[in-house]
Amino acid sequence: MNLQGAIEADDVGKLYSLIEEDENLLDHGSAGPFPNTPLHAAADKGKTKVAMEIAILKPSFAQKLNRGGDSPMHLALKNKHYHTARALMTLNPALIRVRGRGGITPLHFVAGKIGDNELLELLAEFLYACKPSIEDLTNRCETAVHVAIKNHNLKAFKVLLGWLKRVDLTQILQWKDEDGNTVLHIAVVEEQLEIIKLLIGHTDVNAKNFQGETALEIFKDSHPSDNQDVARRLRGRSTPNLCLSEYFSRELTSKEKYEFFFGSGDATARDIILIVATLIATATYQAALSPPGGYWQDSSPSSNPLANSTVATTNSSGIAIEKPHQAGDIIMKSPNLYFFSVVNSMAFFASIGTILATALPLWPRTSMVYISMVILGVAFTFNLVSQFPKSEEVPGLLLGYFNLSLQVAVMVVPLVVWGKHLGIVNRIDPPGRHIHNLQG
């Protein structure tokens, strides 16, 4: 039995017997730029056991293309040997990204192939095993979503859309093919109303293709009078889009100026800022709990006739009478107390404001950070005001209002700055093709 016979029989034992006889067995006929390797032959016939052994012995074979522009995984998929394709994927998930003829990857292939539930499950497994595979484009700049829509594969589109939502990559729906068409443009051209309805809310309805047409304009040309509900949804906002050149020609937004000034645009600097801000917030909160001088441990006698006085004095026998106080009041004297409270509060709220501003670009995933910082700010204010001397109730209330105003400022200012930034960035109409965008 020769090598082809071992492949046909899916006999791993015979394969190794042949290798013992000729250690270069697998290399015969596998040279050249586009070889038809033994792995190609095994995958083409769905001989999973032998295919896996050859892929382990010769990992490079799995990424080579034959003269037809197919990798072993492409051949397995084309011949519906899904078990073999799945086995190769478990061996090396990067095989999902191998580009074959036309730049089509295995992910593109399963996204465009209308089949049974097993094929849909394989599509989901590909996405789960190799997240970056969604970035890959065909030679026509098509994503897997483009391919699914062009092939009217509604089930595959739903799998892709659900996955993009879960991994927060719906921005890929904005990517354009070689004609400047987003997936929404394609869905309108192909008259796939169900897909159009699913896409609205996740794509920019004002995006134009390279012919200068929006999805609504294409829809009106093909549906001049009917489907008014879809037309209404496609109208979207009237805000004009910006091309990249127009965006780069503009002045920096307030958010971008903030990033350059504080260095938060750099990942390393951002980590340092967060660490320092957290340390300052911890130190200032602790200082509010344990102010210099501490607290009175007991209350002054309630029978003291000078209970409402704010200064220490002496009685008729010349014995000093302590300043009126209650247990738990801060001991620090008024001028120092005011200065300490104001400066400590400003440092505390500046630090949590920095944390909020740094976390904002990742909203809504950082929503719990906002909630936690708000609760912490309220607790800080309540703690400080409740420990203020009862004889100085008015300054204590003023300090409470001052702290609340600081908390509102550190919450609202980052939101306003970020909102204005998004108002410009969300109008950009680039070709896409990169996961990292200008908002992150």
Side-chain angles (χ1 to χ4, degrees):
M1 182 184 292
N2 57 16
L3 179 58
Q4 290 300 320
I7 292 174
E8 289 286 352
D10 204 12
D11 190 340
V12 175
K14 184 58 181 178
L15 173 66
Y16 279 99
S17 297
L18 294 171
I19 292 175
E20 289 179 0
E21 297 174 5
D22 181 5
E23 63 181 14
N24 295 317
L25 176 71
L26 297 178
D27 293 324
H28 297 326
S30 299
F34 305 106
N36 193 49
T37 69
L39 181 56
H40 285 81
D44 186 44
K45 294 178 173 62
K47 306 302 179 180
T48 305
K49 294 179 182 178
V50 170
M52 289 295 286
E53 290 298 328
I54 296 175
I56 292 171
L57 294 171
K58 293 288 185 178
S60 62
F61 286 0
Q63 301 197 37
K64 289 187 176 182
L65 303 181
N66 62 15
R67 293 181 181 179
D70 293 318
S71 71
M73 186 177 282
H74 284 92
L75 292 173
L77 292 170
K78 286 182 177 180
N79 292 284
K80 300 183 178 180
H81 301 311
Y82 302 139
H83 184 68
T84 303
R86 184 177 284 110
L88 290 171
M89 172 193 68
T90 59
L91 188 65
N92 183 6
L95 298 178
I96 299 169
R97 305 192 67 183
V98 175
R99 288 183 170 91
R101 179 189 293 185
I104 294 175
T105 68
L107 181 66
H108 291 116
F109 182 88
V110 295
K113 192 75 172 178
I114 299 177
D116 53 19
N117 290 334
E118 184 179 3
L119 199 59
L120 288 176
E121 187 63 24
L122 192 60
L123 171 62
E125 290 179 17
F126 280 1
L127 293 169
Y128 184 80
C130 189
K131 180 179 178 180
S133 63
I134 195 66
E135 296 181 67
D136 298 327
L137 306 174
T138 67
N139 61 4
R140 301 186 62 186
C141 298
E142 299 163 326
T143 66
V145 191
H146 281 103
V147 173
I149 295 177
K150 287 183 178 180
N151 287 277
H152 294 258
N153 195 347
L154 177 60
K155 290 184 178 180
F157 169 77
K158 288 183 176 180
V159 171
L160 288 163
L161 179 61
W163 181 79
L164 290 172
K165 290 178 183 177
R166 284 168 175 79
V167 297
D168 194 24
L169 287 178
T170 52
Q171 65 200 56
I172 286 177
L173 299 173
Q174 310 283 8
W175 291 13
K176 298 178 179 180
D177 63 12
E178 64 178 359
D179 297 318
N181 291 317
T182 66
V183 291
L184 182 59
H185 289 104
I186 300 299
V188 172
V189 171
E190 299 290 336
E191 300 184 358
Q192 301 184 59
L193 298 183
E194 185 172 354
I195 290 180
I196 294 172
K197 293 177 181 178
L198 290 172
L199 284 172
I200 293 174
H202 300 288
T203 57
D204 182 7
V205 297
N206 295 312
K208 295 182 178 181
N209 59 20
F210 294 156
Q211 287 72 47
E213 299 173 311
T214 65
L216 176 60
E217 291 168 344
I218 297 173
F219 184 82
K220 284 183 175 179
D221 290 339
S222 56
H223 300 82
S225 60
D226 56 345
N227 293 298
Q228 293 302 310
D229 178 60
V230 174
R232 177 180 56 80
R233 296 188 188 187
L234 286 172
R235 285 190 180 92
R237 304 180 307 274
S238 58
T239 306
N241 283 335
L242 288 172
C243 62
L244 277 175
S245 60
E246 291 174 331
Y247 173 72
F248 290 146
S249 300
R250 283 172 166 260
E251 288 292 324
L252 295 179
T253 64
S254 299
K255 185 256 184 184
E256 291 169 328
K257 291 178 181 177
Y258 163 85
E259 285 186 343
F260 280 108
F261 183 79
F262 291 100
S264 61
D266 179 76
T268 303
R270 185 165 57 247
D271 291 341
I272 295 174
I273 291 171
L274 279 174
I275 292 172
V276 173
T278 303
L279 291 174
I280 293 174
T282 303
T284 50
Y285 193 88
Q286 185 61 36
L289 294 176
S290 303
Y295 306 97
W296 291 107
Q297 300 301 310
D298 55 2
S299 302
S300 57
S302 59
S303 59
N304 185 356
L306 300 175
N308 293 325
S309 175
T310 59
V311 295
T313 184
T314 59
N315 61 12
S316 58
S317 302
I319 302 175
I321 301 175
E322 293 177 337
K323 177 182 176 180
H325 61 267
Q326 293 184 10
D329 283 355
I330 297 176
I331 295 176
M332 194 185 305
K333 293 181 181 180
S334 298
N336 293 335
L337 176 59
Y338 300 155
F339 179 78
F340 166 78
S341 300
V342 170
V343 173
N344 189 68
S345 297
M346 291 175 65
F348 173 78
F349 283 104
S351 63
I352 67 171
T354 301
I355 295 172
L356 293 178
T358 306
L360 192 57
L362 298 177
W363 183 274
R365 287 172 289 176
T366 53
S367 56
M368 286 306 301
V369 174
Y370 255 76
I371 296 173
S372 300
M373 291 298 101
V374 171
I375 294 174
L376 184 64
V378 172
F380 177 89
T381 301
F382 178 80
N383 172 72
L384 188 61
V385 172
S386 64
Q387 294 168 355
F388 229 70
K390 302 301 182 290
S391 58
E392 302 184 43
E393 183 176 358
V394 174
L397 290 175
L398 292 176
L399 180 63
Y401 293 137
F402 174 71
N403 282 1
L404 289 177
S405 64
L406 286 177
Q407 177 158 340
V408 172
V410 300
M411 289 173 55
V412 173
V413 171
L415 286 173
V416 171
V417 171
W418 180 248
K420 290 182 177 180
H421 176 72
L422 288 185
I424 296 175
V425 171
N426 284 341
R427 292 169 52 198
I428 299 175
D429 187 24
R433 303 171 191 169
H434 295 283
I435 279 183
H436 302 292
N437 59 25
L438 293 167
Q439 297 179 14

